[in-house]
Amino acid sequence: MRVLVTGGAGYIGSVVTRELLAAGHEAVVLDSLVTGHRESVPVGVALVEADTRDGASVRRCLRDHRVEAVVHMAAISQVGTSVTQPREYYDNNVRGGLSLFDAMLDEGVGRVVFSSTAAVYGEPERVPIEESAATRPTSPYGDTKLFLETALQRYGAAYGLRAACLRYFNAAGAHPEAGEDHRPETHLVPLVLQAALGTGRPITIFGTDYPTADGTAVRDYLHVVDLARAHVRALDATAERSCTYNLGSGTGFSVRQVVQAACRVTGRDIPVIEGPRRAGDPAVLVASSSRIRAELGWVPRHDDIEAILDSAWAWTQRHPRGY
Ligand code: NAD
Ligand code: UFG
């Protein structure tokens, strides 16, 4: 199919674009480059530099490239920043998403895979989290994703738009050609590796008083290539129906465990400072991914934290200053 990847110049989008090509699809990227990098788009893939809120440009892109389906990944996505700058988040993510979905309806594009997030669950009652769990976001970022999931359900019922909503847990690791480069970087894995490389600052552990075994927050880290492959399967599923899936490895690691694993993988000491909790952060987020495994046959290939860190470390060493 001819697939438009919004946010395809970003960390996950650049890997999804590569996996779509590897599966035999054609791809075009639409990205405002607000956090993405031109250099991350594979050679031969068109980059349309535009904002999803610019409906005219999105419609032109859908028409010019005869797009048949969309993977919608364009968003700003820092939980902490969304708490202090909610206005920016609702505008970029909600207005951008609605503008894109409306352009799709106008141009007769009826299938979308949407990047949602574990942040829609907020503080979960039970772990691992199943898709049927209550959705009560604790951050504006989570609100924006839940709102768009709901809009997609309504658009499905009213207009027949078919959507696969993928609730990612923590994407980490690198593709051999594409890795993580956010400026400023806020994600734990790249920060830990920059600290190991000596180009970053010591790691501040955000909160050591969580109700977890070692007092630090627990997350489910999923290799970005496994995450990207799930999009190819989800896109196929939208030929028939709409669906919602968690995407995680099913195993949780605490902040301290990630730092210790990074010390083993890199063979270096990683300096650590203990700090207060970061606003909007739940204590534990671990996925049950049994639904997507059972229904789409998706199985993550890299399911341990050291393999994930190893791929990210290889990329970080080749790109010490990012793209
Ligand atoms: P990223 O910042 O690297 O990529 C996002 C891309 O979207 C960037 O290239 C940015 O320039 C582009 N973009 C943002 N707003 C735009 C707009 N209005 N119009 C056009 N382009 C725009 O982030 P990422 O980590 O690759 O995340 C990709 C998606 O996955 C996001 O939707 C994010 O919310 C979601 N997600 C990420 C994680 C994670 O662990 N990284 C977890 C859950 C969900
Ligand atoms: N952390 C630190 N120190 C740091 C950075 C992070 O202790 O310098 C901690 C955080 O508090 C959190 C864990 O490491 O407990 C992971 O933090 P990240 O910033 O790497 O990732 P988040 O869990 O905040 O968020 C990511 C994505 C969101 C997504 C979420 C789903 O950025 O889009 O995973 O689990 F919603």
Side-chain angles (χ1 to χ4, degrees):
M1 299 187 82
R2 285 183 297 277
V3 184
L4 172 65
V5 185
T6 73
Y11 165 47
I12 304 172
S14 65
V15 181
V16 167
T17 302
R18 286 175 168 80
E19 291 300 324
L20 287 168
L21 297 176
H25 295 290
E26 290 172 41
V28 51
V29 166
L30 182 142
D31 200 299
S32 65
L33 300 179
V34 60
T35 58
H37 306 276
R38 192 181 300 284
E39 303 81 358
S40 73
V41 178
V43 176
V45 170
L47 167 64
V48 176
E49 205 176 319
D51 196 294
T52 49
R53 290 166 289 190
D54 173 0
S57 294
V58 176
R59 282 194 297 276
R60 194 175 324 115
C61 170
L62 294 173
R63 260 196 316 275
D64 289 354
H65 293 273
R66 294 178 296 122
V67 168
E68 297 166 294
V70 174
V71 179
H72 177 41
M73 313 189 72
I76 46 175
S77 60
Q78 293 170 10
V79 174
T81 313
S82 79
V83 175
T84 53
Q85 295 166 29
R87 183 173 172 174
E88 219 179 289
Y89 275 72
Y90 292 113
D91 189 64
N92 190 80
N93 294 0
V94 174
R95 199 152 67 83
L98 291 179
S99 153
L100 170 73
F101 304 154
D102 290 347
M104 290 175 64
L105 295 180
D106 291 344
E107 298 302 326
V109 180
R111 294 164 62 175
V112 60
V113 178
F114 172 55
S115 300
S116 188
T117 170
V120 298
Y121 295 113
E123 196 70 62
E125 278 167 7
R126 259 193 304 277
V127 178
I129 306 169
E130 307 210 331
E131 289 85 349
S132 54
T135 46
R136 286 185 295 243
T138 51
S139 66
Y141 166 64
D143 289 344
T144 67
K145 295 289 184 171
L146 186 58
F147 178 87
L148 289 182
E149 282 197 19
T150 308
L152 284 170
Q153 277 168 25
R154 303 289 193 203
Y155 277 33
Y159 311 121
L161 188 64
R162 284 195 295 272
C165 294
L166 302 181
R167 295 175 175 167
Y168 314 161
F169 285 61
N170 291 55
H175 182 280
E177 295 167 8
E180 189 160 8
D181 178 7
H182 295 120
R183 299 180 196 181
E185 188 57 77
T186 61
H187 285 156
L188 181 65
V189 167
L191 286 175
V192 164
L193 297 178
Q194 283 165 19
L197 202 61
T199 52
R201 290 191 295 273
I203 283 297
T204 302
I205 298 183
F206 295 145
T208 51
D209 59 347
Y210 282 105
T212 59
D214 67 16
T216 68
V218 170
R219 293 288 182 275
D220 179 334
Y221 297 89
L222 179 64
H223 198 294
V224 68
V225 172
D226 284 324
L227 182 67
R229 288 193 177 127
H231 291 67
V232 178
R233 289 181 188 251
L235 178 63
D236 291 345
T238 60
E240 307 281 335
R241 61 191 171 87
S242 291
C243 46
T244 300
Y245 295 117
N246 284 341
L247 278 176
S249 70
T251 309
F253 291 93
S254 72
V255 176
R256 283 195 211 282
Q257 285 176 315
V258 171
V259 175
Q260 285 156 4
C263 291
R264 287 195 297 277
V265 165
T266 63
R268 307 202 180 174
D269 283 337
I270 298 173
V272 161
I273 298 169
E274 295 188 358
R277 293 183 182 192
R278 187 174 63 179
D281 272 354
V284 180
L285 288 175
V286 177
S288 161
S289 288
S290 47
R291 188 189 279 181
I292 189 167
R293 288 173 191 250
E295 294 185 6
L296 302 188
W298 172 79
V299 182
R301 294 184 191 173
H302 315 267
D303 62 355
D304 74 277
I305 191 71
E306 293 198 5
I308 290 172
L309 287 164
D310 200 47
S311 69
W313 180 232
W315 197 83
T316 304
Q317 286 179 297
R318 279 200 305 279
H319 303 268
R321 274 172 225 83
Y323 281 102

